[in-house]
Amino acid sequence: MAGLASTLGAGAMTNSIREIEDVPVIFVIGSNTTESHPVISYSMKRAVKKGSRLIVADPRKIDLTRWAARHFQHRVGSDIALLNAVMYEIIRNEWHDRAFIDDHTEGFEYLKETVSKYTPEYASGICGLSADEIRELASILGTADKVGLYYTLGITEHTTGTDNVRTCANLQMLLGHIGIENAGVNPLRGQNNVQGACDMGVLPDVFTGYQKTSDPGTREKFEKVWGVEKLPGTEGAKIPAMFDGINHGDIKALYLIGENVVMSEPNQAHTVKSLENVEFLIVQDIFMNETAEYADVILPAACYAEIEGTFTNTERRVQRVRRAVTPPGMARDDWWITGEIAKRMGFIMEYNSSEQIWNEIRSLSPSMAGITYARIEQQGIQWPCPDTDHTGTCYLYCDNVFPCGKARFQPAEWKPAAEVPDEEYPFVLTTGRRLWHYHTGTQTRRSAGFIDIFPEELIEVNPEDAQKLNINNGEYITAVSRRGKVTVKSWVTSRVMPGVCFMTFHFSEACANVLTNNAFDPVTGTAEYKACAIRLEKSNSASEPEKQRVHRENK
Ligand SMILES: Nc1nc2c(c(=O)[nH]1)N[C@H]1C(S)=C(S)[C@@H](COP(=O)(O)OP(=O)(O)OC[C@H]3O[C@@H](n4cnc5c(=O)[nH]c(N)nc54)[C@H](O)[C@@H]3O)O[C@H]1N2
Ligand SMILES: Nc1nc2c(c(=O)[nH]1)N[C@H]1C(S)=C(S)[C@@H](COP(=O)(O)OP(=O)(O)OC[C@H]3O[C@@H](n4cnc5c(=O)[nH]c(N)nc54)[C@H](O)[C@@H]3O)O[C@H]1N2
Ligand SMILES: [Mo]
């Protein structure tokens, strides 16, 4: 197989949510689960009440650590060093699952060789945990009956994101904790339907159901149903390549459907330059946003409560969505707008309903073939579901049948982040979310309740650092990176360790993405949102900064 990690990197939980409650050890690495995945965090808390040991590895003292038996607070960007050392210890103590490795994997010798230099002492110098702490983590994971591993963006949003994911997969393969109930490798998917979007082929190299565009047989199948000739077999561009293409004059138009890139892409100045350079920009959104300011055309879309269709959740469950309210004004379903544009460009893309589109998708995608609207009327079904008699799949790789035969270890060497602190920019900035807000705030900043609870951006600064810089809790300070600066209120807190700061991208007045680095993982194109270098300056004005770029009525 192309490697277990690449299947997992396509991003699907191998286990189901209900399986969380019955695993002896839950290992959460790089996921702020209580704030970003509150529903799943309830399953983890219930598991702890039933006797599971929750182990958290995160550079921040996130709320989940309150339920954890152990919190390993390692440095930002050091996951590969930490996990390689854990695997070194597991192999040294012979805690690895020889039978599973012999029968179902390949490349174990290569893994063993790669991790051989990651002694706990060596890794300690990189990740900041003591060698004993690393041995303790290895012993907890290595001697457990089953470990369920859960990760999110703390693992993926690095220039080494793919290698980080592979390393998580290597660990679970080494322990034989894959292809069985409860244990596995589980990326918690972020948006309500990001799993569905990927399943629908909203990636540069696949059709629906992860069928490769490079495969001539697959292309022929789609060409027949769509009545077209010669669908391209080449890969489309990922976001960094799109912006580069615009800036080099190769890409003339950009069509954004539900992406507020000015706020959500790294290095805002670079994003804005790209939007200014593109000849034609279409923004299709449910609200006016920062990105739409640059648009030539704005197309109003209907939102989740105004449409019929399906969303696929993090455990691969395809669920029905029903229209609860009528869309306002000229807002239309996203699929309808796209179809109309296709029509005006000369291709008849005539669909009458979401169900009709879904039936075409399932006729072309074996993994979803058995999921009909009638069958998910009451409860969703988890793909793979190959036919209408199949009840769906709770956990993947059951009986150790992997997509292309054996699971391959893909060991990786630790590499530092693209930008690390130095004298001029001595702090690591890592970024993410708060419970009370959603991404670029277009939705949550319209809710009075959320604004009351969490009205503005806060930068987390460790008390030791604050004392050295004479920063008081609640004081407005300036955070500066090589790409820009923002004025932001400080939150002096030991949630972050010394040398680390944390911000979100929820507030346009002080958006972390003014500061973040647009270096990206070469395989996925995902940016290094989780690590850049900044410095903190006392702000000249002691008062609240003037609000910039607030386009919202906040009703
Ligand atoms: N309330 C709320 N919930 C959301 C969202 C939202 O905007 N608001 N967005 C949704 C979306 S799309 C997504 S993708 C998910 C994201 O879900 P998460 O990834 O859980 O959310 P983040 O806040 O990005 O948290 C990442 C975690 O990684 C840690 N971290 C930072 N650097 C490192 C590192 O180098 N190594 C490790 N191991 N950990 C590190 C951070 O301290 C943090 O705890 O959340 C989803 N849920
Ligand atoms: N610094 C930093 N930046 C990050 C991240 C991070 O951790 N740190 N995380 C990244 C991640 S994981 C994600 S997922 C992105 C999110 O980045 P975005 O997707 O750009 O953020 P959203 O605020 O969710 O913006 C989505 C837009 O879609 C609109 N919208 C909502 N529903 C619909 C709909 O049904 N139809 C249409 N047409 N529009 C709709 C909203 O109004 C909004 O303008 O941010 C990324 N950026
Ligand atoms: Mo996301």
Side-chain angles (χ1 to χ4, degrees):
M1 64 185 294
L4 183 59
S6 52
T7 320
L8 300 169
M13 286 175 71
T14 64
N15 300 104
S16 299
I17 296 167
R18 71 162 180 80
E19 290 169 48
I20 297 172
E21 282 189 41
D22 297 301
V23 63
V25 173
I26 301 173
F27 181 38
V28 177
I29 182 161
S31 172
N32 185 1
T33 320
T34 53
E35 291 198 77
S36 295
H37 313 271
V39 176
I40 286 185
S41 77
Y42 291 133
S43 297
M44 292 180 179
K45 291 174 196 172
R46 270 197 297 272
V48 169
K49 282 190 184 155
K50 284 164 72 174
S52 300
R53 291 187 84 190
L54 173 64
I55 309 298
V56 175
D58 199 292
R60 289 163 65 227
K61 213 180 285 164
I62 48 174
D63 290 346
L64 190 66
T65 59
R66 292 199 281 138
W67 282 269
R70 286 290 278 120
H71 172 210
F72 294 91
Q73 196 168 11
H74 60 306
R75 289 191 186 126
V76 169
S78 69
D79 297 86
I80 293 175
L82 170 63
L83 295 180
N84 277 355
V86 164
M87 289 191 274
Y88 168 95
E89 272 296 295
I90 287 172
I91 296 170
R92 195 180 64 82
N93 287 288
E94 303 198 350
W95 289 323
H96 52 297
D97 185 339
R98 275 174 198 277
F100 177 86
I101 293 167
D102 289 347
D103 296 346
H104 305 299
T105 71
E106 49 191 55
F108 172 63
E109 287 308 316
Y110 181 27
L111 176 85
K112 200 170 158 182
E113 189 190 311
T114 307
V115 303
S116 65
K117 86 167 193 232
Y118 292 84
T119 62
E121 284 73 17
Y122 171 67
S124 168
I126 298 170
C127 74
L129 297 173
S130 71
D132 278 345
E133 284 176 302
I134 297 172
R135 283 189 203 101
E136 185 193 348
L137 176 59
S139 149
I140 295 169
L141 302 176
T143 60
D145 265 357
K146 283 183 183 181
V147 177
L149 186 149
Y150 294 82
Y151 71 85
T152 345
L153 305 180
I155 286 295
T156 55
E157 285 185 345
H158 290 279
T159 42
T160 58
T162 301
D163 282 344
N164 287 0
V165 173
R166 285 176 175 156
T167 303
C168 291
N170 290 340
L171 171 69
Q172 291 297 73
M173 282 157 56
L174 186 68
L175 294 169
H177 291 165
I178 190 89
I180 46 177
E181 202 170 7
N182 311 117
V185 183
N186 295 290
L188 302 175
R189 304 309 306 264
Q191 289 147 313
N192 57 344
N193 193 35
V194 66
Q195 183 69 54
C198 295
D199 300 349
M200 293 308 106
V202 188
L203 292 167
D205 59 340
V206 289
F207 292 106
T208 52
Y210 306 97
Q211 302 174 87
K212 289 274 181 195
T213 52
S214 56
D215 176 51
T218 303
R219 287 204 302 275
E220 204 179 310
K221 184 169 82 169
F222 280 82
E223 282 162 2
K224 262 197 202 131
V225 171
W226 291 346
V228 293
E229 278 172 19
K230 294 204 173 62
L231 284 172
T234 45
E235 257 192 45
K238 301 185 180 103
I239 297 175
M242 288 184 196
F243 287 173
D244 280 353
I246 289 169
N247 295 328
H248 294 134
D250 305 329
I251 293 181
K252 309 283 183 200
L254 192 61
Y255 178 14
L256 298 172
I257 309 178
E259 287 275 334
N260 188 4
V261 293
V262 168
M263 293 281 293
S264 60
E265 283 302 304
N267 188 356
Q268 192 174 77
H270 172 73
T271 309
V272 166
K273 188 178 105 192
S274 309
L275 297 184
E276 283 170 349
N277 282 347
V278 75
E279 281 179 28
F280 186 53
L281 176 63
I282 312 169
V283 167
Q284 182 168 315
D285 210 284
I286 61 171
F287 290 120
M288 186 66 194
N289 64 21
E290 288 75 9
T291 306
E293 296 283 315
Y294 297 88
D296 298 289
V297 178
I298 301 173
L299 301 168
C303 82
Y304 70 95
E306 299 159 349
I307 56 166
E308 293 284 332
T310 58
F311 286 162
T312 304
N313 77 0
T314 186
E315 58 169 8
R316 297 170 275 102
R317 190 181 293 280
V318 183
Q319 296 173 305
R320 270 288 268 123
V321 181
R322 293 175 181 84
R323 172 170 290 144
V325 279
T326 314
M330 289 177 70
R332 296 283 182 273
D333 288 30
D334 282 301
W335 64 261
W336 184 88
I337 302 172
T338 309
E340 287 299 304
I341 292 175
K343 252 196 247 172
R344 284 157 172 77
M345 290 175 78
F347 175 73
I348 302 304
M349 196 187 274
E350 191 86 78
Y351 297 103
N352 298 317
S353 68
S354 300
E355 184 171 10
Q356 189 192 356
I357 298 172
W358 177 256
N359 283 335
E360 180 186 292
I361 290 162
R362 66 186 196 87
S363 77
L364 286 162
S365 320
S367 62
M368 293 173 271
I371 306 176
T372 62
Y373 267 38
R375 292 189 73 202
I376 56 170
E377 183 64 28
Q378 300 295 330
Q379 199 189 355
I381 296 176
Q382 287 168 284
W383 64 256
C385 177
D387 59 63
T388 48
D389 294 325
H390 195 284
T391 52
T393 307
C394 295
Y395 57 95
L396 298 180
Y397 315 124
C398 153
D399 305 326
N400 302 310
V401 180
F402 298 103
C404 311
K406 288 191 169 187
R408 194 164 73 222
F409 284 105
Q410 292 184 299
E413 296 283 354
W414 171 80
K415 284 190 218 86
E419 187 182 63
V420 291
D422 56 17
E423 260 178 40
E424 208 182 339
Y425 298 96
F427 291 93
V428 175
L429 174 72
T430 190
T431 65
R433 298 153 171 79
R434 305 276 180 206
L435 176 64
W436 308 108
H437 285 285
Y438 191 72
H439 293 164
T440 69
T442 62
Q443 296 165 86
T444 44
R445 289 195 70 186
R446 285 187 163 78
S447 162
F450 293 141
I451 294 168
D452 275 353
I453 298 170
F454 205 96
E456 67 181 310
E457 183 59 27
L458 298 175
I459 184 168
E460 293 178 16
V461 182
N462 180 273
E464 273 180 39
D465 295 327
Q467 200 181 11
K468 275 187 214 147
L469 295 169
N470 191 22
I471 293 169
N472 298 313
N473 188 32
E475 178 181 337
Y476 286 96
I477 57 174
T478 307
V480 190
S481 82
R482 289 185 174 81
R483 294 152 295 276
K485 60 170 149 182
V486 293
T487 299
V488 54
K489 198 178 209 172
S490 67
W491 177 13
V492 177
T493 168
S494 56
R495 274 165 73 90
V496 283
M497 53 173 130
V500 176
C501 298
F502 175 84
M503 277 182 74
T504 79
F505 58 115
H506 298 318
F507 296 88
S508 56
E509 303 84 348
C511 177
N513 284 325
V514 172
L515 307 171
T516 48
N517 188 359
N518 53 319
F520 56 89
D521 178 283
V523 179
T524 59
T526 297
E528 193 146 63
Y529 291 113
K530 293 296 183 253
C532 74
I534 61 165
R535 70 166 174 264
L536 302 178
E537 291 171 358
K538 292 275 280 185
S539 196
N540 295 333
S541 64
S543 61
E544 190 170 349
E546 198 186 330
K547 296 259 186 292
Q548 312 147 11
R549 292 186 286 104
V550 187
H551 308 303
R552 316 219 162 92
E553 68 277 24
N554 280 345
K555 67 170 189 204

